[in-house]
Amino acid sequence: MVALVVGFVVVGSGVPAGAHQEWFVSDPEAYPLDLGALLRPGVVLAVAATVAVTVLLRPVAARLPAPELAVIKPARRLASFVPWVPRLLAAHLGVSLLVLAFDRAVLDPGIHVPDGAGGTLLLVPQAVVGGLLIAGVLVRAASVAIMLTGPLLVALQGPEALVTLAVFVGIAAFLFMLPPRLKDGGRTDLDPPTLRRAALGLKLGAGVTLISLAVVEKFANPAMARAMLEQEPLLNLLAPFGVSADAFAVVAGSVELLFGLLVISGALPQVVALLAAVPFTATLALFGATELLGHLPFYGVLLAFLVLGSREETSRALSGLRRRPRARIRSEALA
């Protein structure tokens, strides 16, 4: 099962999972959604396969030891960072918001405010929120401010933006329930009941964003996906084997959808974080700072998965699975 997931990653890493094609494709407004494209046989088969992989992975994960990467020496040291997860998430989100504000973008590199004083005023709250998150001050208030940006997003970009930027709401919900404590240098006590609720918001936010991007930029927008691959032909790693741009876009969308479902599932959080990091970082050299800044919140989520998955109790709160303790597995193997 893990091998199948790895296969999806290797094949699909040419198109960045979670990357907004609208950031890079020329004239993105020229490519409206085509919901009828969702009924293409290739798309239906891809969706069915990714759902099946996600469902089957949970019982497999329940039989594996937790944490799953404890055999790797550097991974064992991640447990010491568990109390810092809210601080790390706040820093990733805060840097993204602050730098995007200086670039006159609202939450997303593709959403820019109008020139002039009026547009600049719209960016002031975002810059303030970003600074508060970086400093670890008034994090709950900053989180509420992020969740109240919905009307502004609809006015600037339409209702679709609310779904594709759900990761911001997920991180904000997590930080509202588990804010870093300034008096403890940013450390937070992650009690399991609160962590379960906070992790649910984080998983849903990040997962919904990934799933929505797979739909609105690939499955239901083959014209945009085709234009992106024609604009950057190096992205289609399967072109030498005769795979068309349309077919590769379905493969790339499947990778994005798979990671969205796996993030929501929470099973094998460390494995999912490491595998998802491959397509998220594969094209940084091609797209540069725009992609890096746009993906910083997702990097924070993947880092949170990697760290929270390093302890059995926090991994269980993240996944909802009662996985077999590593010590018990060793004793069974020696019996």
Side-chain angles (χ1 to χ4, degrees), residues 7-284:
F8 267 111
V9 174
V10 172
V11 173
S13 61
V15 176
H20 292 47
Q21 289 179 167
E22 293 182 352
W23 299 347
F24 308 109
V25 71
S26 300
D27 193 16
E29 292 80 10
Y31 306 103
L33 291 180
D34 178 12
L35 296 181
L38 294 174
L39 300 178
R40 289 176 293 163
V43 173
V44 174
L45 180 61
V47 172
T50 53
V51 171
V53 169
T54 305
V55 172
L56 293 175
L57 191 63
R58 283 189 66 83
V60 172
R63 295 183 60 83
L64 294 176
E68 62 265 22
L69 298 181
V71 294
I72 303 176
K73 190 173 182 180
R76 294 200 297 266
R77 299 172 180 170
L78 291 173
S80 61
F81 292 99
V82 166
W84 300 93
V85 165
R87 188 73 184 93
L88 293 170
L89 273 173
H92 279 77
L93 182 55
V95 170
S96 179
L97 291 175
L98 187 59
V99 177
L100 285 174
F102 280 102
D103 196 35
R104 302 189 65 81
V106 179
L107 298 183
D108 183 285
I111 306 177
H112 286 83
V113 298
D115 292 331
T120 302
L121 286 175
L122 293 175
L123 296 170
V124 172
Q126 177 174 308
V128 171
V129 167
L132 292 176
L133 291 175
I134 293 171
V137 179
L138 299 176
V139 171
R140 274 189 166 144
S143 300
V144 172
I146 292 172
M147 290 186 278
L148 293 176
T149 56
L152 177 60
L153 284 176
V154 172
L156 290 174
Q157 198 77 357
E160 179 185 306
L162 291 177
V163 182
T164 57
L165 294 175
V167 62
F168 286 88
V169 178
I171 295 175
F174 185 96
L175 294 176
F176 181 82
M177 285 183 269
L178 288 171
R181 294 199 304 264
L182 186 62
K183 65 179 181 179
D184 292 331
R187 292 170 55 90
T188 305
D189 294 327
L190 305 182
D191 64 285
T194 306
L195 179 58
R196 279 195 294 270
R197 294 191 297 270
L200 178 61
L202 184 67
K203 293 188 297 181
L204 287 176
V208 166
T209 289
L210 288 172
I211 293 170
S212 66
L213 291 175
V215 173
V216 304
E217 294 189 349
K218 296 176 181 70
F219 291 155
N221 206 331
M224 177 184 285
R226 190 184 313 116
M228 184 75 251
L229 291 171
E230 290 173 354
Q231 181 178 313
E232 300 288 349
L234 291 177
L235 292 174
N236 187 350
L237 299 181
L238 300 182
F241 303 98
V243 176
S244 67
D246 286 345
F248 188 76
V250 173
V251 174
S254 301
V255 173
E256 215 158 33
L257 174 62
L258 178 62
F259 282 133
L261 294 174
L262 290 177
V263 165
I264 292 174
S265 168
L268 295 177
Q270 291 185 309
V271 172
V272 170
L274 289 178
L275 292 180
V278 175
F280 266 102
T281 58
T283 54
L284 283 177

Side-chain angles (χ1 to χ4, degrees), residues 23-24 96 109 280 284 287-297 299:
W23 299 347
F24 308 109
S96 179
F280 266 102
L284 283 177
F287 293 119
T290 298
E291 186 173 3
L292 176 63
L293 288 174
H295 282 163
L296 267 181
Y299 292 141

